[in-house]
Amino acid sequence: LLPLAGVARQPYFRESDGELVTQAGYDKDAQRFGVFDTRQFAMPAPTPDAVRVALALLEDLLTEFRFVAPSDKSAALAAIFTAVVRPTLPHAPAFHVKAPVFGSGKTYLCELIGAFAGPGGNAKVSYPTTSEEATKVILSLLLTSPAVIEFDDMDTDWTPHGTIKRMLTSDQITDRILGVSKTATVSTRTLFLGSGNNVGPVRDLLRRVLTIHIDPRCSTPATRSYKGLPVEKVRQNRGVYVAAVLTIIQAWRTAGMPRTAVENVATYGGAWADYCRHPLIWLGHADPATSLLHQIQHDP
């Protein structure tokens, strides 16, 4: 049996040398199996013009979402970046889309973010109510190496169960398979998303879950439609949109990996910041970790 650190559904960056792996199949250095058609991911040279085109392509997908602040739009872009490079990252925060009312587009935004992670849909489950249920649900889902696990339409806060905390700060987790006398070790390189009205991370998860605030600011948000069909666009041409993210990251690396002096976020100050935070700040966006830092600073 080959050692396997995870599954990649698009080209990915090798952790050891930062090279972009564009060939499918097993990479013994990264211990990762690429499951994708190389021909669908045409990578242009990372020139300034290519970066402008790539960023405009991604920003166009978000024009109909009503973000509360510029940092929330930046956080949504960071979530998209995380979806693309999650197989590369040992650790990455979860993302929670929060709104004040029903019909705000929370689930649709999660579907858009998830479309960048793989050709399949998000694995949607209810947020576990007990630690035992959390262990059972998370372990059973991670055994299948899903691209995305989404806690859809939550009516409770992100309760910091032990398994939930470990899956966001550890490359692997080991737990006992309930009902049998066996343990399993699984990779946590999956994108974790959540959505809910007026709920969010609490206590230990305040530094592990990045909140994206949206507010439709209209009397009947449930009647709104997305004329640009952003989810459908990505699903039909996923290779083009994934290549746009990779082009921006490549251009940032080519430019010497410039890092703005921002506050460090424990656990996520390394690879995640380099792939999903600093490139966006470099392009003039607000710091996508703004809400995460706010949560930490205002934790009672």
Side-chain angles (χ1 to χ4, degrees), residues 49-287:
D49 286 341
V51 169
R52 283 191 288 270
V53 171
L55 184 60
L57 191 68
L58 298 175
E59 288 181 325
D60 181 64
L61 298 172
L62 301 175
T63 55
E64 295 183 84
F65 292 97
R66 301 293 182 258
F67 297 104
V68 172
S71 59
D72 293 306
K73 178 182 177 181
S74 185
L77 286 168
I80 287 172
F81 278 45
T82 306
V84 172
V85 300
R86 187 63 186 93
T88 299
L89 307 176
H91 318 106
F95 292 86
H96 177 73
V97 184
K98 182 177 181 178
V101 293
F102 291 100
S104 302
K106 304 179 302 297
T107 297
Y108 196 63
L109 180 55
C110 285
E111 290 178 358
L112 174 61
I113 295 167
F116 280 82
N122 300 351
K124 297 186 178 185
V125 295
S126 299
Y127 194 82
T129 56
T130 66
S131 294
E132 182 180 30
E133 181 188 356
T135 299
K136 178 180 178 181
V137 170
I138 298 302
L139 189 63
S140 62
L141 286 170
L142 290 179
L143 281 169
T144 65
S145 296
V148 184
I149 294 176
E150 178 187 348
F151 303 114
D152 185 34
D153 201 15
M154 298 170 59
D155 53 13
T156 62
D157 288 322
W158 284 69
T159 306
H161 302 301
T163 298
I164 302 291
K165 291 190 291 183
R166 291 195 300 274
M167 76 185 189
L168 296 175
T169 53
S170 177
D171 189 23
Q172 297 178 332
I173 58 173
T174 301
D175 262 309
R176 185 175 67 87
I177 303 175
L178 296 181
V180 296
S181 300
K182 290 183 178 181
T183 60
T185 299
V186 291
S187 170
T188 59
R189 299 197 185 203
T190 290
L191 178 66
F192 294 95
L193 301 175
S195 64
N197 296 320
N198 303 308
V199 297
V202 295
R203 303 197 300 277
D204 289 357
L205 293 183
L206 288 170
R207 69 176 183 88
R208 294 175 168 96
V209 180
L210 203 164
T211 304
I212 304 169
H213 300 87
I214 59 175
D215 187 349
R217 295 185 286 274
C218 66
S219 57
T220 55
T223 62
R224 294 177 63 240
S225 60
Y226 294 86
K227 298 178 181 179
L229 302 176
V231 174
E232 288 74 7
K233 281 183 178 178
V234 176
R235 287 178 176 167
Q236 292 172 7
N237 297 286
R238 199 174 76 85
V240 173
Y241 288 96
V242 167
V245 173
L246 296 175
T247 298
I248 292 173
I249 296 174
Q250 284 281 63
W252 176 77
R253 295 175 65 87
T254 302
M257 302 174 68
R259 297 179 178 89
T260 305
V262 291
E263 291 186 76
N264 182 56
V265 179
T267 305
Y268 311 124
W272 179 78
D274 280 349
Y275 287 103
C276 309
R277 187 183 184 190
H278 290 299
L280 287 168
I281 299 174
W282 175 61
L283 291 176
H285 275 275
D287 183 359

Side-chain angles (χ1 to χ4, degrees), residues 7-15 18-28 30-36 84-88 246 275:
V7 175
R9 295 164 177 84
Q10 55 268 329
Y12 58 93
F13 292 94
R14 189 184 292 118
E15 294 166 65
E19 289 297 314
L20 183 64
V21 179
T22 58
Q23 296 299 316
Y26 182 71
D27 186 307
K28 65 178 181 179
Q31 296 183 358
R32 187 157 292 106
F33 198 87
V35 185
F36 53 86
V84 172
V85 300
R86 187 63 186 93
T88 299
L246 296 175
Y275 287 103

